[in-house]
Amino acid sequence: MRSYDGPEPDVDVDVAIVGGGINGTGVARDLALRGLSVVLFERNDLAFGASGNNSGMIHGGVRYLRTNPSVTESSCRDSGYIQKIAPFLLHRIPFLLPVRAGPKGRIMFELIDAYFRAYDDYVELKRGEKHTRLDASDLARLEPGLVGSYVGGITFDEWGVDASRLTVLNAIDAEENAAKLYIHCNVDGIEQSAAGSGEAYVVKARDRFTNRAIVARAKVVVNATGAWAPITASLGKLPAGSVRVRPGKGIHITYERRLANYGITCDAIDGRQIFVMPWQNMTTIGTTDDDYFGDLDDVVATSEEVRYLIQGVASVFPSIREARAINTYAGVRPTLWQYGPLEDALSREHEIIDHAKDGAPNLYSMIGGKLASYRLFAQEMADRIARDLAPSSRCATHEKPLPGGDDVPDAFELSDKAGITPVAARRLVYRHGGRARLIAHRMKRSPSERDIVCACEPVLEAEVRHAIEHEHARTVDDVARRTRLGLGACGGMRCAARCGQILADELDTPVEEGLASARRFLVRQGRMRVPCMGPEQARQEALAYAVHASMMGKGEGER
Amino acid sequence: MTTTTTRMVVVVGSGIAGTAAALAARTAGADVLLVRGAAGATLLAPGAIDLESWEEASARAETSVVVPLEPEVAAVIDALGLHAVKTAPAFVATVAGVVRAARAVDRSLLDLASVPGGGTIFLPEIDREGWDAPLLARALRESRFAKDRGLAFESVPSQLLVATSERSLPDGDMAARADDPARLAQLAERLRAAIAGKKKPAAILLPPWLGVDAPRAEALSKEVGVPCGELAVALSSPAGLRFARARDRALEKAGIATRSGWVTSIERQDDACILHIPDHEPVRASAVVVATGGVAAGGIAYVPGESSLATALPRAPRAVFTTSIKTSGSLGFEGKPIGIPGSLFGMAPEALAWPFRDPPPLDRVGLLVGTDGAAAPGIFAAGDAVADEPRTFLGALRSGVRAGKSAASLSPSV
């Protein structure tokens, strides 16, 4: 049991990073490994934004092959690096790209086949499989759920990843190399110091729960806040337009089991390519791409977007309509700004803005980018900073394993040793790799921590406590982001209150705060689940409402 | 089974609403047949019963004024014999670590209101999932109720399980074991051992283990020498199983026939109602009470336009809720019928569910009824199947009594 005071409230560092997404944590790790002192501020939670709400795949840059093959090559190479440093986090998702029969069907098939044959040259970099070519009967045999007439299709594979875990592990590695993390701490000022004071900037922040003020004096500031980047830039009193982002909202729908053997690409009603794919122990369909003008701290999928996606997928995979959607998630892409093109046509490149041109030297903004090339983007930023602050250092992020990346245990062995079910062990190994042993050790010390808190996933009490003690989880939402607690079919009906009690226990706060956190989680999850509600899930929602009302209530002062 | 008896009331649904309707119709002199389906809200309920919702009741509990039960409602409660109704509100601890008020509780639940102020309540430590005595004790200790009454909650080491298989046995099975006097005596012995050498507690709070055939808390308390009772748990609670047993006994005692079956439709023919049950002869009744529950129980289904279609568009717009039984009567909420939406795809779910709407139409939707509980000529509704009524045990009970009386008072079929 320890109080969450967080690190010291007054620090002098080399680099202050604002933003706890994959870019911010990636840069923090890179710089920390080079021996620089780093603080990182995140106003919500690690991976709260796009980093925690994307498709969950490391793309190999297939679509750039025609226009920009060097991007494809670096994407594949970086995917290979991510695989190397966190092998336990990636899982293979084979995709089918069916080609419709029709007047141009045969020629399209040849062209696509040729395209992927060219892509084959790169797949080895990401330890992928070469593509294969299927005729129509192969397609039907491999994926009986497909309807329509096809000349055939091709297969290719992507790496699936839990991007929230990837982000958290980057942050933990940075912290283990002396970086200080301030989560749930909102930066409210970035000021240039008086001349000659050594540190160029004073970054002021406030812990949103304890209200404690934090001050960091830094030589360099990195704005890695994604879609929030223009907001962060305004805190540094930068001129309007110095950082421009065109936020693009994307949603996904989650189903409670694997529905297809493969990922399948298909066309939505407006011709956009969408997909349905197996992802870990669920199925995901996605995604949309719409300009977003709303509150970035509160992005929620709508039933409109849900209907659009389901209609598109049902056109080739009709059994989706009978399947039980259990949740949605939504994020906003921090796309590079351009006035004119459709959302889909915008560049997915990344860019580093040096604000010296705005009168703020040593202040940088990181804009755009894709999950797959985060490490590369982080390296570019770190190289730039290290030129002055650590000139003889070199990047190690492509070689050094992320926490848990070395010596990944066998799930069955772990299951025997720890006395837990193989499924629970497998999930632990997936999320924590070698560090699953630490969690198993907790269970040996306190056998009651073997208890299942969330039965849908499953998530054990030891993992919940580990997330709070070692991974900066301070709310039930945070625990859910790290462990997937409460994100299954029951929507947290059985586990949210218990998680709240455990939080209060670990953080030594009043139990009522833990319960309030659980209630907020249930409200937030309710808003995410309802837009995809179908007939079966409506029963679950009615049940959950009744359970919530009879067991937990709305809480004092929350009506 | 075809019958042409006079004044035959058929009740569809065997939760509290259906049970109350059956008992009330019988009391009024009708012959009654109750058709049982599957588990609904009553069987999943934790055993704490209210007339108005807990939160409204909580606000009132501060003044310690409770509304006495109406005689017809009290009669059903008596017939069941499950609940201890007092003149003050009851308070129970829930598995979420919260103390909530109730009008009355199942006799196996621990009523914290009966614990003298300043007393200590023990929670035995048991190696079972879902029961974390130290965490629960802490949560309860910090509740406003405990602070107001000076109650202390403490977890104490204990050896209550007799075999390692009991680590993972469902709560219902553990509760059934307590029906065996020998096992109950064993539990009592182990509880006495757990509290030996300590200052005698004011009460012992236990997991939901205290009987399925009947509540066993009183018997256990006698043997232990300390009041014992259950934590309130939703979903897996044996309180629902105890209700089922008590219901069956009460129905049998009242001479009410029961059968299992899924009624698919009810039609009017002359002055009678005909109920259709697959693979059975149609059943003829003077009047029917529909007590098949709401969305959670499956009595009402949510059917957005596109749900059953693969790729084609829905042919026509339709109402997004339907009763599981095809019958006359209209579904609605907030006093108005649902109506056909202006979309092929139905209503947006954001208009129907919590937390977008509070209280959510999903919970309130049901058959619109008159003051006598009639949804259509000869067809009455009770419980969660009725629109807008309080979704509480006593609310359902009261609507059941109303529907049962009205159904029984219809003139006999020719």
Side-chain angles (χ1 to χ4, degrees):
Chain A
M1 241 169 41
R2 59 161 182 79
S3 286
Y4 193 90
D5 287 327
E8 312 89 86
D10 201 310
V11 282
D12 286 315
V13 291
D14 293 318
V15 185
I17 300 171
V18 187
I22 194 66
N23 289 334
T25 56
V27 173
R29 178 182 185 235
D30 198 326
L31 294 171
L33 288 179
R34 298 187 203 215
L36 291 173
S37 58
V38 174
V39 299
L40 182 144
F41 294 102
E42 164 52 54
R43 100 190 198 149
N44 290 302
D45 184 25
L46 296 172
F48 182 84
S51 302
N53 291 290
N54 49 67
S55 301
M57 281 191 284
I58 305 269
H59 290 283
V62 184
R63 69 190 257 189
Y64 297 105
L65 189 55
R66 194 169 54 85
T67 50
N68 220 335
S70 61
V71 173
T72 306
E73 185 181 337
S74 60
S75 285
C76 283
R77 183 170 288 117
D78 235 55
S79 296
Y81 287 144
I82 295 172
Q83 222 226 317
K84 191 161 149 215
I85 64 179
F88 57 95
L89 259 193
L90 268 57
H91 54 99
R92 186 187 301 281
I93 306 177
F95 264 84
L96 288 179
L97 204 167
V99 182
R100 284 199 179 275
K104 301 226 182 77
R106 292 233 74 88
I107 190 77
M108 276 306 292
F109 195 19
E110 296 306 321
L111 285 171
I112 292 173
D113 187 23
Y115 192 88
F116 277 89
R117 218 177 304 134
Y119 184 58
D120 280 346
D121 290 341
Y122 297 88
V123 299
E124 211 181 321
L125 291 170
K126 62 167 184 151
R127 285 155 231 249
E129 299 281 330
K130 293 198 196 294
H131 87 293
T132 65
R133 183 184 161 122
L134 306 170
D135 64 28
S137 65
D138 288 332
L139 206 58
R141 191 173 44 84
L142 287 173
E143 193 47 84
L146 269 182
V147 302
S149 61
Y150 301 99
V151 294
I154 63 111
T155 68
F156 62 98
D157 63 285
E158 299 283 16
W159 285 113
V161 68
D162 185 330
S164 301
R165 290 299 308 162
L166 186 62
T167 307
V168 168
L169 292 174
N170 270 277
I172 299 300
D173 207 18
E175 192 179 42
E176 288 177 0
N177 284 277
K180 297 195 195 331
L181 307 180
Y182 296 87
I183 314 297
H184 290 286
C185 293
N186 190 37
V187 169
D188 46 37
I190 302 173
E191 292 157 14
Q192 297 199 40
S193 299
S197 63
E199 262 67 27
Y201 288 94
V202 177
V203 179
K204 298 199 176 134
R206 188 165 290 276
D207 185 309
R208 294 171 88 183
F209 293 152
T210 64
N211 227 22
R212 186 176 73 147
I214 300 145
V215 175
R217 277 165 270 271
K219 299 184 177 96
V220 175
V221 175
V222 177
N223 170 10
T225 52
W228 286 259
I231 297 174
T232 312
S234 72
L235 296 170
K237 308 275 193 304
L238 293 174
S242 55
V243 177
R244 285 200 298 202
V245 167
R246 190 166 154 191
K249 180 183 178 194
I251 77 146
H252 295 78
I253 309 170
T254 315
Y255 289 78
E256 38 96 49
R257 67 184 67 182
R258 290 190 149 216
L259 299 169
N261 300 318
Y262 299 87
I264 304 168
T265 60
C266 39
D267 288 345
I269 195 168
D270 55 2
R272 288 186 61 252
Q273 194 183 68
I274 61 178
F275 60 83
V276 51
M277 70 176 193
W279 193 82
Q280 297 191 40
N281 51 359
M282 297 162 279
T283 298
T284 309
I285 71 183
T287 178
T288 56
D289 196 349
D290 293 300
D291 286 301
Y292 185 75
F293 300 91
D295 184 351
L296 292 168
D297 290 325
D298 189 21
V299 187
V300 179
T302 66
S303 54
E304 287 294 291
E305 294 164 319
V306 166
R307 284 167 160 160
Y308 163 80
L309 286 177
I310 296 180
Q311 181 196 53
V313 171
S315 66
V316 306
F317 198 75
S319 54
I320 197 80
R321 288 224 185 269
E322 281 133 49
R324 182 172 157 185
I326 55 168
N327 220 330
T328 65
Y329 59 92
V332 176
R333 298 171 190 76
T335 325
L336 299 182
W337 191 90
Q338 258 185 287
Y339 195 99
L342 285 174
E343 297 96 325
D344 269 338
L346 292 169
S347 161
R348 296 321 199 216
E349 302 269 4
H350 57 246
E351 198 182 302
I352 294 175
I353 303 178
D354 182 344
H355 292 292
K357 64 171 171 60
D358 301 309
N362 290 312
L363 174 58
Y364 300 95
S365 292
M366 296 171 76
I367 308 295
K370 300 183 335 291
L371 184 67
S373 49
Y374 91 87
R375 197 214 58 83
L376 199 55
F377 194 14
Q379 179 174 350
E380 283 175 28
M381 185 75 260
D383 281 343
R384 184 89 76 103
I385 294 170
R387 254 197 328 245
D388 290 329
L389 295 185
S392 56
S393 70
R394 48 177 277 286
C395 175
T397 58
H398 58 305
E399 295 171 329
K400 180 182 184 282
L402 280 171
D406 43 359
D407 199 17
V408 178
D410 172 64
F412 285 100
E413 275 176 34
L414 189 76
S415 149
D416 280 335
K417 258 202 222 131
I420 59 181
T421 66
V423 176
R426 182 73 195 86
R427 305 299 292 147
L428 268 184
V429 169
Y430 176 73
R431 288 190 283 271
H432 300 271
R435 304 259 169 130
R437 289 195 186 85
L438 278 181
I439 298 176
H441 186 68
R442 286 190 79 109
M443 293 189 258
K444 229 197 232 149
R445 245 183 19 228
S446 323
S448 65
E449 291 193 12
R450 274 176 293 143
D451 281 0
I452 295 177
V453 177
C454 166
C456 299
E457 184 42 29
V459 182
L460 309 180
E461 186 175 322
E463 190 183 3
V464 174
R465 289 184 183 268
H466 176 87
I468 301 166
E469 203 182 321
H470 297 290
E471 296 186 341
H472 291 269
R474 294 170 76 184
T475 66
V476 178
D477 278 290
D478 294 353
V479 173
R481 211 165 277 113
R482 287 154 182 69
T483 63
R484 302 200 61 80
L485 175 143
L487 302 182
C490 86
M493 180 172 72
R494 298 181 285 182
C495 54
R498 177 101 181 273
C499 184
Q501 289 170 10
I502 295 172
L503 267 166
D505 191 37
E506 282 286 323
L507 298 178
D508 200 17
T509 56
V511 172
E512 186 48 43
E513 274 180 36
L515 286 179
S517 178
R519 288 190 189 98
R520 279 195 299 273
F521 172 77
L522 290 171
V523 170
R524 191 155 182 267
Q525 282 301 308
R527 294 174 69 225
M528 288 161 66
R529 280 202 322 274
V530 165
C532 67
M533 186 175 83
E536 249 192 289
Q537 193 60 16
R539 281 188 75 166
Q540 175 61 37
E541 297 302 326
L543 192 61
Y545 180 76
V547 170
H548 185 182
S550 67
M551 293 287 102
M552 265 185 77
K554 295 204 171 91
E556 329 230 328
E558 254 192 59
R559 319 227 174 153
Chain B
M1 172 181 108
T2 321
T3 170
T4 48
T5 349
T6 57
R7 291 224 294 164
M8 167 62 125
V9 171
V10 175
V11 176
V12 186
S14 54
I16 185 58
T19 303
L23 290 170
R26 190 82 187 108
T27 306
D31 286 335
V32 181
L33 169 68
L34 184 140
V35 182
R36 275 198 314 271
T42 308
L43 254 60
L44 297 174
I49 67 177
D50 288 303
L51 182 57
E52 51 188 350
S53 84
W54 156 33
E55 286 164 301
E56 285 154 0
S58 278
R60 224 184 289 278
E62 308 306 293
T63 64
S64 297
V65 168
V66 287
V67 180
L69 299 185
E70 293 144 21
E72 294 152 327
V73 171
V76 174
I77 295 287
D78 280 340
L80 288 172
L82 259 188
H83 305 95
V85 180
K86 304 186 186 148
T87 51
F91 284 87
V92 284
T94 77
V95 69
V98 158
V99 176
R100 63 158 281 191
R103 179 64 187 86
V105 292
D106 174 305
R107 284 175 203 279
S108 266
L109 265 58
L110 182 67
D111 183 356
L112 295 174
S114 67
V115 178
T120 300
I121 298 163
F122 279 177
L123 283 79
E125 283 160 28
I126 309 168
D127 184 17
R128 263 176 69 89
E129 241 154 49
W131 176 263
D132 189 330
L135 273 190
L136 269 172
R138 180 171 179 230
L140 296 170
R141 188 185 308 138
E142 291 188 23
S143 69
R144 208 166 79 157
F145 181 86
K147 290 189 176 146
D148 285 348
R149 308 239 177 157
L151 291 181
F153 289 85
E154 253 177 63
S155 68
V156 295
S158 75
Q159 292 296 328
L160 298 190
L161 303 181
V162 297
T164 46
S165 60
E166 291 194 336
R167 275 202 73 238
S168 46
L169 216 55
D171 284 337
D173 288 339
M174 291 298 290
R177 291 189 170 193
D179 286 328
D180 171 11
R183 175 74 178 102
L184 197 70
Q186 202 175 33
L187 181 60
E189 189 193 314
R190 286 169 184 239
L191 283 171
R192 283 196 303 269
I195 67 179
K198 300 186 166 61
K199 181 159 178 259
K200 189 160 157 197
I204 302 177
L205 184 62
L206 291 168
W209 286 0
L210 302 182
V212 164
D213 259 353
R216 304 293 178 195
E218 275 154 9
L220 182 67
S221 305
K222 249 199 208 111
E223 292 201 42
V224 177
V226 168
C228 298
E230 293 179 348
L231 182 78
V233 170
L235 299 178
S236 64
S237 169
L241 298 172
R242 290 192 286 265
F243 168 83
R245 297 282 211 276
R247 167 202 65 204
D248 292 344
R249 283 192 291 263
L251 292 175
E252 199 187 319
K253 190 163 169 207
I256 294 167
T258 68
R259 65 185 299 175
S260 296
W262 291 105
V263 177
T264 50
S265 65
I266 305 170
E267 46 170 297
R268 285 286 279 176
Q269 226 179 66
D270 311 315
D271 273 334
C273 297
I274 313 291
L275 296 98
H276 295 279
I277 304 177
D279 302 327
H280 286 107
E281 289 281 304
V283 175
R284 199 180 163 83
S286 333
V288 176
V289 176
V290 171
T292 42
V295 176
I300 296 175
Y302 171 62
V303 285
E306 69 243 275
S307 60
S308 57
L309 298 164
T311 53
L313 287 176
R315 196 174 61 80
R318 63 171 185 193
V320 297
F321 290 107
T322 175
T323 44
S324 62
I325 302 177
K326 192 155 168 293
T327 178
S328 40
S330 53
L331 283 175
F333 52 86
E334 285 154 22
K336 295 192 287 286
I338 319 175
I340 309 291
S343 161
L344 286 176
F345 301 97
M347 293 172 69
E350 290 95 330
L352 299 171
W354 182 88
F356 293 98
R357 294 281 306 275
D358 193 8
L362 200 65
D363 192 54
R364 302 191 62 158
V365 65
L367 289 163
L368 297 167
V369 301
T371 46
D372 57 352
I379 298 174
F380 301 84
D384 286 359
V386 178
D388 300 323
E389 297 264 323
R391 298 308 185 208
T392 61
F393 186 94
L394 292 173
L397 199 169
R398 199 165 60 170
S399 74
V401 166
R402 174 180 69 181
K405 271 170 57 176
S406 303
S409 71
L410 274 195
S411 38
S413 59
V414 180

